[in-house]
Amino acid sequence: MTTTSELPTTAPAMTPATTPVTAAPGASDAQGAARTALLLLADGRFPAGGHAHSGGAEAAVADGRVRDAATLADFCRGRLHTTGLVAAALAAAATFGLDPLALDDAADARTPSPALRATSRKLGRQLLRAARAVWPDPALDRLAATRPRGAHQPVVLGLTARAAGLSPADAAQLAAYESVSGPATAAVRLLSLDPFHAAAVLARLAPDVDAVAAEAARTASLAVAEGPGALPACSAPLLDLGAEEHAGWPVRLFAS
Amino acid sequence: MNGLAGPAWSAPVADRGGAADDPGSTPRLPVGGRPSGGATRSGPGATTSAAARMHAVADGRGGTALPVLAGEGPLALRSGRPDGGGARVMVVGAMSAPLGGDRLRITAEVGDDARLTVGSAAATVSLPGRDGEPAAYDVRLTVRAGGTLHWLPEPVIAAHRSDLRMTTRADLAHGARLLLRDEQILGRHAEPPGRLTTRLTVHLDGRPLLDQALSFGPGAPAGWNGPAVLHHYRAAGQLLLVDPSLTPDTLASRPLPADPAHGRAAITPLAGPAVLITALAVDGRRLRRLLDAGRAEIEEATGS
């Protein structure tokens, strides 16, 4: 059974999402090629430009909120349960086949910081360019045509996951993981943190990442019936305030 | 939209400007107390379900009338002296609320070209109920074309061991104006906070303009008091201005001057004709100062 019938008949010939959203996240359900697609999308070396962004870690390090592995873990946990959950739910909703433009509006309303809206659209544009080359799909082409300056990254990620044969739960897992892997990787450079310690922070967050991905996929399935208003809107005020200050710095290591 | 079509509003017109006379009035209680009497609390362990409703319409002579102004129990409404052509309403806390288990709802509608300013007489203190049940407080605002609503309540204080779910939803027609303040304080003086989950959703002309939730206190998702969310700050607030005359060039995004040891704030244009001030501070007084400073900057830029 397919989880959605929203796509027009010109939809990709790729494998549609076949996994019920209630399946455990973690993609044991993804089939052969799709499982590799999940790894490819989660790989920091996938050419989508994410490495240039710190997910707010640079601003947090600059004003002393993040100093070491312990405060990095606190930072990542807060980001995961707020904007990470929102991104994961938007991504899963896009994979389900909700109208990407309505999801793009929902992402705008959930991103009060203009600096963060610009970052998300820039990352979305870069991911879309890579995705259209890697998993050609008319839905990706349509989004590129209607949002030439870039759609929000989680929306693009969800459509990309769909084009790659992944499930909404997979898309949520990817977005939830990205919400912590970005800051943790950046902290290695920003704090000269031992890379082993940064990896340990991520490993210890794994149960939280799984729980957030599952919650995101669950709310996305609600949004199929109720619309994007059913998606979470959790905010992290210090990420917004830090991003606005960071955007005004003349010199910085990371773009955001 | 939701909440306006058919609210469970069966309140008698309980109050038209005389909440202070309410014999059930109970002073706000100290820690964890439960009022022993009151208009709608029938005994210890009782919870309150109260709704208040107001409707402002242009009176055709440049002023605003209030054909509906009805409160009950802890949500008493009092109309104040008109301000220019606008009506004023004060929400008067006639008893201590919300307590755990309470269900409170305020609905305000501003008609075409009407102007309404709503404030509250005191902070709303969320207190624990007997059974650890969460309380619910829902605010539903509608502003029609050409209408103006200033929704400027005092803060919500999440007292130790309290648990409150609060939602504010505003549906604005194209051409409506809204000034809305939303402040949360993490506990009374020198006490740990209770749990509070708030969500502010604003739709303009049917499209989402702002959707922001914040959750803190015991049982909230981990990280709320960490370096990405609230850190050492004990007060969080937003001031939103939606005005059809705002353009992306009216106000550039900027941080407001503040000592981060005490607070921080920024003015940010939204993806629509609106600006938002986001502020954090170590206490409610400093939070209000930041929001007021941001409001002054906005008023200077918009000439209002």
Side-chain angles (χ1 to χ4, degrees):
Chain A
M1 116 189 155
T2 55
T3 49
T4 176
S5 55
E6 296 273 318
L7 273 193
T9 48
T10 53
M14 310 293 289
T15 320
T18 55
T19 312
V21 69
T22 49
S28 61
D29 45 287
Q31 294 160 1
R35 191 174 303 172
T36 300
L38 184 64
L39 295 172
L40 186 50
L41 272 169
D43 189 334
R45 289 162 293 189
F46 187 77
H51 61 277
H53 297 262
S54 79
E58 184 166 25
V61 166
D63 62 34
R65 283 177 282 136
V66 170
R67 300 179 304 276
D68 50 23
T71 47
L72 172 66
D74 281 350
F75 178 89
C76 289
R77 199 174 287 111
R79 187 169 197 250
L80 172 66
H81 284 284
T82 54
T83 56
L85 173 65
V86 172
L90 286 164
T95 313
F96 264 123
L98 266 77
D99 174 11
L101 300 183
L103 292 173
D104 202 52
D105 287 348
D108 262 347
R110 286 160 175 75
T111 317
S113 154
L116 291 181
R117 287 198 300 276
T119 295
S120 177
R121 290 194 182 281
K122 183 175 182 193
L123 286 170
R125 189 170 66 238
Q126 292 172 176
L127 174 58
L128 191 54
R129 197 182 307 142
R132 291 171 75 195
V134 179
W135 296 283
D137 181 330
L140 297 176
D141 297 341
R142 279 195 299 276
L143 186 61
T146 47
R147 287 285 184 275
R149 295 170 58 207
H152 280 283
Q153 193 268 358
V155 179
V156 178
L157 180 62
L159 281 187
T160 301
R162 187 187 174 95
L166 295 169
S167 70
D170 293 332
Q173 189 83 25
L174 280 164
Y177 177 68
E178 273 181 6
S179 77
V180 293
S181 63
T185 308
V188 171
R189 285 175 67 190
L190 292 164
L191 292 169
S192 302
L193 191 68
D194 184 335
F196 292 168
H197 291 165
V201 164
L202 290 176
R204 287 191 197 109
L205 282 169
D208 283 51
V209 173
D210 290 352
V212 163
E215 170 69 3
R218 188 186 66 77
T219 58
S221 71
L222 291 179
V224 171
E226 298 172 20
L231 299 173
C234 311
S235 66
L238 277 172
L239 292 180
D240 293 329
L241 295 171
E244 289 303 314
E245 288 178 13
H246 185 266
W249 294 1
V251 180
R252 50 193 191 218
L253 208 49
F254 290 92
S256 75
Chain B
M1 299 210 21
N2 69 358
L4 289 172
W9 177 63
S10 57
V13 180
D15 176 39
R16 258 192 175 276
D21 302 325
D22 178 359
S25 286
T26 306
R28 205 167 287 285
L29 294 181
V31 186
R34 175 169 284 284
S36 57
T40 57
R41 289 189 200 282
S42 53
T47 59
T48 295
S49 186
R53 202 169 114 151
M54 64 195 89
H55 187 181
V57 296
D59 65 6
R61 303 186 304 272
T64 297
L66 289 167
V68 176
L69 183 67
E72 59 174 344
L75 297 176
L77 304 180
R78 189 162 58 193
S79 76
R81 186 175 300 130
D83 165 28
R88 299 179 75 91
V89 169
M90 192 71 90
V91 181
V92 180
M95 66 172 68
S96 193
L99 298 183
D102 287 354
R103 299 270 176 279
L104 306 181
R105 184 180 189 91
I106 300 186
T107 304
E109 183 175 346
V110 177
D112 294 348
D113 302 319
R115 302 213 320 258
L116 175 64
T117 297
V118 181
S120 61
T124 297
V125 183
S126 168
L127 293 167
R130 166 165 293 189
D131 306 319
E133 276 282 290
Y137 194 157
D138 298 300
V139 174
R140 295 292 177 269
L141 311 174
T142 305
V143 187
R144 311 277 178 210
T148 299
L149 174 62
H150 287 193
W151 186 261
L152 302 168
E154 295 304 304
V156 174
I157 302 174
H160 188 41
R161 298 186 192 285
S162 66
D163 187 353
L164 174 64
R165 316 288 155 87
M166 184 161 187
T167 66
T168 301
R169 163 135 187 164
D171 284 294
L172 311 179
H174 179 75
R177 277 181 292 273
L178 174 69
L179 178 68
L180 181 147
R181 184 176 63 216
D182 179 35
E183 296 165 306
Q184 295 97 36
I185 315 291
L186 286 76
R188 288 164 298 190
H189 182 65
E191 72 171 2
R195 176 150 189 203
L196 180 60
T197 298
T198 65
R199 184 160 176 170
L200 169 62
T201 305
V202 180
H203 280 219
L204 174 61
D205 204 13
R207 289 177 61 189
L209 175 68
L210 179 67
D211 206 340
Q212 291 279 276
L214 183 64
S215 195
F216 60 75
W224 62 268
N225 54 356
V229 188
L230 296 179
H231 207 227
H232 67 287
Y233 299 115
R234 313 308 286 167
Q238 308 179 85
L239 185 89
L240 170 70
L241 174 69
V242 185
D243 188 310
S245 70
L246 285 170
T247 69
D249 302 324
T250 309
L251 264 174
S253 146
R254 70 188 82 161
L256 289 167
D259 174 356
H262 297 142
R264 50 203 296 171
I267 300 181
T268 53
L270 299 182
V275 289
L276 181 75
I277 303 167
T278 301
L280 296 174
V282 291
D283 60 37
R285 192 172 49 90
R286 288 184 170 92
L287 181 75
R288 179 62 64 86
R289 205 182 292 159
L290 284 168
L291 292 176
D292 283 348
R295 183 177 169 183
E297 283 206 25
I298 291 175
E299 282 169 353
E300 190 177 329
T302 57
S304 63

